[in-house]
Amino acid sequence: MPECGSTNTEARELIGQNRATDGCTVITDKQTAGRGQRGNQWEAAPGENLTLSVVWRPAFLPAAASFHLNLAVALAVHDWASALLGPDPALRLKWPNDLFYQDQKLGGILIENTLNGAQIHYSVAGIGINVNQTQFDAPTATSLSRLTGRAYALPPLAARLLESLERRYLQLRAGHVAALQQAYRQVLYRYDEWHTFEVAGKRAPGRIVDVTEAGQLVVEQAGGQRRSFGLQEIRHVLND
């Protein structure tokens, strides 16, 4: 569609109208009210970036294991970017599912689930990736064009991204969760490195050592103590 407030909202409306099949995709050139993690707004210039949402019905996935879908989607986005940029250690997934190049954000993912008892009924994976945009309000944002110095046709990139998402989703459906977890740790931003984190308004050094089954970040703190944190409980300090 040419314009919408949020592709995730449009996808959920299709679900409510019983019009969303498994793999149904909503894509737009102009998203006026895109959302990111922590309730942040997603900045995207019209016609310059990829903004889309994919609907799945992962009946095989218990609600308690919903983070496994995050793993699959985040890895699919990383796979897609790696195919464009080549193997590059600067291309990472920042927990839980942002795409980073060095210390700048290249893309973001927001997954919203509808539950049916203890199972996931529907999942909507919203994905925003900076492609041709070169001017950003946020100094921590970047794009493919900034990194490569070239412009991209969006439809072929969208098609390749959907293929990448399907591959990782089928891997998840086949039960290869351990492989997904291992692959995620291998490309996790600042994994096994000492950096500064902010917890409850205070900054302290820490080292990411794992991600739990429920998707919590496990951080080793000074003195060797390990703690698990949810999304709203810990932040990376990017300028440390």
Side-chain angles (χ1 to χ4, degrees), residues 20 25 29 50 71-72 80 92 94 96 107-108 120 129 134 145 151 166 199 221-222:
T25 301
D29 289 329
L50 287 179
L71 295 175
W80 170 87
R92 295 281 166 175
K94 177 175 166 287
I120 297 177
I129 303 173
T134 57
S145 283
E166 183 179 20
V199 178
Q221 299 175 307

Side-chain angles (χ1 to χ4, degrees), residues 47 59 101 144 149:
Y101 189 88
L144 287 177

